[in-house]
Amino acid sequence: MATFIFGDESGTAVDPALDLARYIHAMNGTDAPSQIQESEAFDLALQNIDKLLTPASEKEKDREAVDSVISVVCSVFQRIFLKPGANVSQLVEKFVNKITSNSSAQPSLRLKAMSTIYNVVNGNGEARFSIFLSMVNFASAAGKDLLSMVLSHCSNLESMFTEWAVDIEKQRLMFSAIFEALKKHDNRDGAHEYRLKFLRSFQGGKDFSSALAHAQTAVVEAIANPKIYLFDYYMDLDAVKALKADPSRTKVFDLLHIFAYDDLDVYNKFYKENSAFIDGLG
């Protein structure tokens, strides 16, 4: 598969949108236009994204050629993005929906394309948040290795939240996506860590309705984990404290309180009175 970009004497693409459109029409065996708007070329590329990625194989040369094509797609995206009045949210959503539509076909190239677009939209926090969230969900669907690669960038997630200027609900959405992804790939400790970050975001709040189920899960995980033997941190979480006020979850809080502050005799008495409940926790 040959590289398709036609350049001037310096090697710079004369018209990336037109070159991209010509390439796609040649690939489909149809007549190419003599001119095309960048938005039209971009839409054409997205309509054919699976075909554009198909030639990539284990051969390095083939993958480099496809990588070149996707780079031009991203370049056209950038040109549209930089135009005054561009609908960035719509543009990002359109791109992400198409590129993530198939997590089994060339997932690493798809993830690389999203990473490129993430860099392109520098300065637009909402767009960056949306793209990174999509990268987490896509990598989770694509496999453990790609997920690990994406999450390696999460060590400064709180700083990223600040950069993106996203509200607490979106922060919780990100935490939730990460701990669900880690749970899916059997990284229980990692999932538990991000579930705690999610719960921590409720500190000082008043509405814990969306946190109670996760608070109960976190408590049960902590009690069942032999590596955890200090429970003060859990007792300090407002979302965990809220379990006490929920009639269906009060016993979970009582059990945590025993592990945090009481002894074996107290636990044995509690278990005798609530054995069915405790055994049902899993």
Side-chain angles (χ1 to χ4, degrees):
M1 178 180 173
T3 303
F4 72 94
I5 296 302
F6 307 103
D8 56 19
E9 292 182 356
S10 68
T12 302
V14 177
D15 186 344
L18 183 57
D19 286 343
L20 180 61
R22 286 173 176 171
Y23 177 82
I24 294 171
H25 280 283
M27 178 181 67
N28 292 331
T30 54
D31 293 333
S34 58
Q35 57 184 8
I36 191 170
Q37 296 293 319
E38 288 167 342
S39 59
E40 294 174 334
F42 182 67
D43 287 343
L44 181 65
L46 294 185
Q47 291 166 14
N48 290 271
I49 196 67
D50 289 335
K51 285 186 178 181
L52 291 173
L53 288 164
T54 296
S57 67
E58 295 303 317
K59 294 181 180 179
E60 184 177 352
K61 183 177 180 181
D62 290 340
R63 289 183 65 83
E64 287 179 352
V66 172
D67 192 31
S68 173
V69 176
I70 299 304
S71 292
V72 176
V73 175
C74 293
S75 176
V76 173
F77 174 100
Q78 183 177 29
R79 286 172 172 244
I80 300 171
F81 167 74
L82 292 175
K83 287 184 176 180
N87 190 329
V88 177
S89 296
Q90 185 181 72
L91 185 63
V92 168
E93 182 180 7
K94 184 188 297 186
F95 177 84
V96 167
N97 285 345
K98 280 293 185 180
I99 206 74
T100 61
S101 62
N102 188 338
S103 60
S104 60
Q106 306 301 338
S108 60
L109 287 176
R110 292 172 187 265
L111 193 60
K112 183 178 180 180
M114 283 189 279
S115 177
T116 299
I117 294 303
Y118 178 88
N119 292 327
V120 165
V121 298
N122 184 30
N124 190 311
E126 183 177 351
R128 281 197 149 190
F129 168 83
S130 177
I131 295 168
F132 195 81
L133 180 62
S134 296
M135 290 172 69
V136 171
N137 291 328
F138 177 79
S140 176
K144 184 177 181 179
D145 290 342
L146 286 183
L147 178 64
S148 296
M149 184 172 68
V150 172
L151 296 188
S152 68
H153 297 281
C154 289
S155 58
N156 295 316
L157 191 56
E158 284 74 13
S159 296
M160 294 165 71
F161 288 154
T162 300
E163 177 204 333
W164 298 335
V166 292
D167 61 26
I168 196 66
E169 290 300 325
K170 287 187 176 179
Q171 293 178 36
R172 291 170 184 165
L173 185 61
M174 183 67 74
F175 287 139
S176 178
I178 293 173
F179 70 64
E180 290 294 351
L182 289 166
K183 177 183 175 183
K184 176 180 178 180
H185 292 283
D186 297 321
N187 186 340
R188 296 182 181 181
D189 289 346
H192 187 74
E193 176 187 350
Y194 277 93
R195 195 186 300 273
L196 290 180
K197 289 177 183 289
F198 171 85
L199 294 175
R200 192 74 185 175
S201 72
F202 287 87
Q203 288 299 98
K206 295 181 179 180
D207 181 6
F208 302 101
S209 57
S210 61
L212 291 176
H214 295 295
Q216 175 170 322
T217 298
V219 169
V220 173
E221 289 175 344
I223 291 173
N225 189 337
K227 293 183 290 185
I228 297 176
Y229 52 89
L230 295 176
F231 298 93
D232 290 14
Y233 176 85
Y234 297 86
M235 293 294 295
D236 288 339
L237 291 172
D238 290 347
V240 171
K241 293 177 184 177
L243 294 173
K244 188 175 183 178
D246 185 333
S248 66
R249 306 180 195 274
T250 300
K251 290 181 180 179
V252 176
F253 181 85
D254 292 341
L255 183 60
L256 175 64
H257 189 281
I258 291 171
F259 272 77
Y261 303 120
D262 293 313
D263 57 24
L264 184 59
D265 288 340
V266 176
Y267 171 78
N268 287 336
K269 180 181 178 182
F270 184 85
Y271 180 80
K272 184 177 180 180
E273 296 171 352
N274 302 278
S275 58
F277 165 74
I278 294 177
D279 293 341
L281 292 176

